[in-house]
Amino acid sequence: SFYGENLKAQALNDYNNAISYYKKAIQLKPNYSEAYYNRGATYYGMGKYADAMADSKRALDLNPGDSATKNLYDMISRKLGS
């Protein structure tokens, strides 16, 4: 499946392919909070903290009660010193 390929790419630290899959998922379903969360987590793993922050903010906007997204957001905030 599309999502399974994405997770496989992320698990293999093939971050660029994972980002590409998440971008496609977001294009297909713009309000898919999990795709924003996962892309943000992938950006975080790549050290792209500004991109990670933008995606985690969007994921929180879409799903404000999600504790995993809140944890990611807090982790990125600490990295950025904000």
Side-chain angles (χ1 to χ4, degrees), residues 16-37:
N16 290 326
N17 269 338
I19 293 295
S20 177
Y21 284 120
Y22 290 125
K23 283 181 181 178
K24 288 177 189 172
I26 290 166
Q27 286 173 345
L28 293 171
K29 193 173 177 185
N31 292 328
Y32 186 27
S33 66
E34 193 172 336
Y36 284 101
Y37 167 81

Side-chain angles (χ1 to χ4, degrees), residues 42-75:
T42 303
Y43 279 136
Y44 182 85
M46 297 169 76
K48 294 184 173 186
Y49 303 123
D51 291 328
M53 177 60 81
D55 278 351
S56 68
K57 280 183 182 177
R58 180 68 178 137
L60 273 177
D61 287 345
L62 293 169
N63 189 4
D66 185 66
S67 61
T69 303
K70 179 68 172 130
N71 289 339
L72 176 64
Y73 179 85
D74 291 343
M75 201 166 53

